[in-house]
Amino acid sequence: FPAKLLLIDDILGSLIYERQELLLEYLKKCKNKDMSIIIISDDLKHLFTISDRILVLYQGKQLATRTTSETTPREIVELIVGTNLKAQVTPVIWAFENYHAAQKQTEELKQTQKVLRQSLREQDSLNRQLFERLRNQVDALDQLNLALQDANRRLVTEREAERKSLARELHDQVIQDLLSYTYQLEEIETRGFSDTNENEMQEIRDGLRNVVSTLRQTCSDLRPPTLDSHGLSAAIPSLVHQWSKISGLKFSLDIDPELGRLPETIELSVFRIIQEGLSNVRKHAQATSVNLTLRRRSNASLLVTLTDDGKGMIAPVNLAVLQEEKHFGLVDISERVSLLGGALQVTSKPRGGTEIKIEIPSPYPTL
């Protein structure tokens, strides 16, 4: 009898790219013959090419089942990572895509090397050149793998740091405040309510309002609600006002009145880029004033310029050195800009200070 079920347990990754394509074509033919196929793989491209449904597992337990035509690679990555924060999900998607693209490129180069070895006597000079190219590509792939591993470690570390910070803030401030007000209310209840308790009750009311305000600020830090409702034109002034209040620095903000709305992913990424840039200024620049401008250019791209009058940076700025020294602020900004297909320019001003200029291309090709 013909087989009714075929199980493929993560073997695609061990095949060269050409054989992967041949196997996928064969599986498509089996699928058209009403054969059931179960594929275990982390290659989203393969899964979305052939599957009808995707099952996400964690430690052997089912997390979710999705119909392939009704989901996206981003949603699947969100389920794998365990969060829907785009600042954390986007680097993982970038890692998946670049790793498999690099794997394909390496396989193609290995095939080229094999052919050249067969004609070594006739094309010895060309073979040596291509072999050197292959070695450079393999070195680049090794560096990419190391960078991906480092990005993954930073992603996990930052996520745990955020959770730890949130837990500490809730425990040390909000929960302790609520417990204190609970004890005060119990004490008043024990003594019995009277007109003399009115001042104490008012203090408790004010304290509870402060707790609510703290929780609102915490929620805003996790996901600024103004950004979803009104876009960058409203969210950035709110961010700048809060930052200036905390840092005590003078601030000049200039937002193009024609800025308009952008897709959610771009708006959130730009917001996080500006947030990280301001954090760098407060921590390292030793500045007294800061200037931020957001402009739409004639080609509809978004131009963001952040300038401070601080001590400046050593030119040219070397992101690899900054990463080795565990200064990830500009590195994170560079990664976010790269994921948006944009350009980043960091310069030190002659009289001191730093200028960060970022250009994000328009997502609308007709503009």
Side-chain angles (χ1 to χ4, degrees):
F1 297 98
K4 295 296 184 180
L5 176 64
L6 180 61
L7 176 63
I8 307 294
D9 187 1
D10 202 19
I11 64 171
L12 287 169
S14 61
L15 300 176
I16 63 173
Y17 182 78
E18 182 180 358
R19 293 189 180 276
Q20 290 181 14
E21 295 296 312
L22 292 174
L23 180 57
L24 286 174
E25 288 298 322
Y26 174 77
L27 293 178
K28 288 179 182 179
K29 293 179 181 179
C30 294
K31 176 182 175 183
N32 294 333
K33 295 180 180 179
D34 296 327
M35 180 186 293
S36 298
I37 303 173
I38 299 176
I39 301 178
I40 302 173
S41 176
D42 62 355
D43 190 332
L44 298 181
K45 179 181 177 182
H46 290 161
L47 295 178
F48 275 83
T49 297
I50 193 171
S51 68
D52 296 318
R53 288 181 296 172
I54 297 177
L55 173 66
V56 181
L57 301 176
Y58 179 72
Q59 293 185 349
K61 296 182 179 180
Q62 177 178 335
L63 280 182
T65 302
R66 294 290 185 269
T67 300
T68 307
S69 61
E70 297 175 358
T71 188
T72 63
R74 176 173 291 278
E75 183 183 12
I76 299 302
V77 172
E78 289 175 354
L79 292 170
I80 295 172
V81 175
T83 178
N84 60 1
L85 293 178
K86 293 180 175 56
Q88 298 181 2
V89 173
T90 302
V92 177
I93 295 178
W94 178 85
F96 275 131
E97 294 176 348
N98 281 271
Y99 179 80
H100 291 295
Q103 183 187 40
K104 174 184 176 182
Q105 186 179 30
T106 301
E107 291 296 340
E108 292 174 346
L109 289 171
K110 286 182 178 179
Q111 290 299 314
T112 302
Q113 184 190 32
K114 181 179 179 180
V115 172
L116 287 173
R117 282 179 173 174
Q118 294 175 356
S119 57
L120 181 61
R121 293 180 180 179
E122 294 81 9
Q123 302 183 23
D124 184 61
S125 176
L126 177 61
N127 186 52
R128 284 197 300 269
Q129 295 176 12
L130 289 176
F131 184 80
E132 182 67 23
R133 178 188 169 193
L134 172 62
R135 187 174 65 181
N136 293 336
Q137 290 290 340
V138 172
D139 290 342
L141 178 60
D142 290 339
Q143 294 177 2
L144 174 61
N145 284 332
L146 292 174
L148 292 177
Q149 293 172 12
D150 184 65
N152 184 62
R153 283 193 296 268
R154 285 196 290 114
L155 173 64
V156 173
T157 301
E158 289 172 4
R159 184 174 62 185
E160 291 304 318
E162 289 174 355
R163 290 176 176 176
K164 183 178 180 180
S165 176
L166 178 59
R168 182 171 58 247
E169 184 172 350
L170 291 176
H171 179 272
D172 294 348
Q173 183 173 347
V174 176
I175 294 178
Q176 298 302 319
D177 287 346
L178 290 176
L179 285 173
S180 176
Y181 298 135
T182 299
Y183 296 149
Q184 292 180 47
L185 289 172
E186 290 175 350
E187 183 179 350
I188 292 173
E189 184 180 13
T190 301
R191 296 199 311 260
F193 291 99
S194 65
D195 294 339
T196 59
N197 300 137
E198 184 58 33
N199 290 337
E200 294 182 61
M201 294 297 293
Q202 184 60 44
E203 291 179 1
I204 293 175
R205 293 189 193 98
D206 294 340
L208 290 174
R209 291 191 183 99
N210 289 334
V211 171
V212 171
S213 177
T214 300
L215 287 174
R216 284 177 176 168
Q217 184 60 47
T218 300
C219 293
S220 178
D221 292 340
L222 293 175
R223 176 79 179 195
T226 311
L227 187 63
D228 293 327
S229 304
H230 306 290
L232 289 171
S233 298
I236 295 301
S238 177
L239 170 66
V240 165
H241 174 76
Q242 185 68 21
W243 182 88
S244 181
K245 183 178 179 181
I246 295 174
S247 65
L249 302 182
K250 296 179 182 179
F251 208 102
S252 173
L253 176 63
D254 184 11
I255 298 181
D256 191 340
E258 303 298 325
L259 184 64
R261 294 302 302 267
L262 293 165
E264 179 185 357
T265 54
I266 295 181
E267 287 190 332
L268 182 59
S269 294
V270 171
F271 182 88
R272 296 303 184 195
I273 287 170
I274 294 174
Q275 195 175 42
E276 186 63 49
L278 293 177
S279 177
N280 279 351
V281 171
R282 184 167 64 87
K283 292 178 180 178
H284 308 296
Q286 299 178 12
T288 59
S289 64
V290 182
N291 178 267
L292 174 64
T293 63
L294 284 82
R295 284 271 176 261
R296 277 297 188 100
R297 305 190 68 179
S298 58
N299 60 358
S301 65
L302 174 63
L303 182 64
V304 179
T305 306
L306 179 64
T307 309
D308 67 72
D309 62 352
K311 63 180 182 180
M313 301 181 66
I314 299 176
V317 177
N318 191 324
L319 294 179
V321 173
L322 291 176
Q323 184 166 345
E324 290 177 358
E325 296 175 351
K326 307 300 180 183
H327 298 310
F328 295 119
L330 274 178
V331 176
D332 289 340
I333 290 176
S334 175
E335 289 177 351
R336 291 181 188 275
V337 172
S338 177
L339 289 170
L340 294 175
L344 169 66
Q345 181 181 358
V346 182
T347 56
S348 285
K349 298 164 63 178
R351 297 183 180 180
T354 302
E355 180 181 77
I356 298 177
K357 187 173 291 186
I358 298 162
E359 184 169 3
I360 306 300
S362 169
Y364 309 114
T366 56
L367 293 179

